[in-house]
Amino acid sequence: MVLADLYPFIKATHVGLALLSGGLFAGRGLGVLLSATAPMAPWVRRLSQVIDTALLGAALLLLWILRINPFATPWLLVKLTLLVAYIVFGTLALRRASTRTGKALAFVLALCCFAVMAAIARTHDPMGMLRMMGL
């Protein structure tokens, strides 16, 4: 068996982990905005790190199998740029922003980045949602 034979499993794992990661972030962000302590508990933070590490591993395997250079593929380059923005907004939303309003704004922006990344991944087009709407 070669690695390419595992492509469907790796892709499904990547998609599942992306949904799990986004869902966990959304839950943690809401919890932080509601002043709960559980979203920042060490075990929750570790779980998030494990999921995100596995997600990155699956993404790298997919790139390897498909022999894709993400910096030469427009839709992947846009998705990676949005990933950086998602991480920045996510850290602001969960701990770095000093005010509740700042955390809320960063949380909404992070969720927007996540939604656009999902649309880009689905369409393989840097225009993402606009292509999904037929524009």
Side-chain angles (χ1 to χ4, degrees), residues 62-132:
L62 291 172
L63 291 174
W64 179 273
I65 291 168
L66 296 173
R67 299 177 192 264
I68 294 176
N69 176 353
F71 301 107
T73 308
W75 69 271
L76 273 174
L77 185 57
V78 171
K79 192 175 161 196
L80 288 173
T81 302
L82 285 167
L83 177 61
V84 172
Y86 172 71
I87 291 168
V88 170
F89 291 133
T91 58
L92 287 169
L94 294 179
R95 62 189 144 160
R96 301 237 186 256
S98 57
T99 66
R100 189 174 183 164
T101 301
K103 287 181 185 298
L105 178 60
F107 179 62
V108 168
L109 290 171
L111 291 177
C112 288
C113 287
F114 184 86
V116 174
M117 284 189 299
I120 289 171
R122 183 114 169 100
T123 62
H124 290 192
D125 188 309
M127 298 299 285
M129 289 181 188
L130 295 176
R131 291 288 187 248
M132 291 176 78

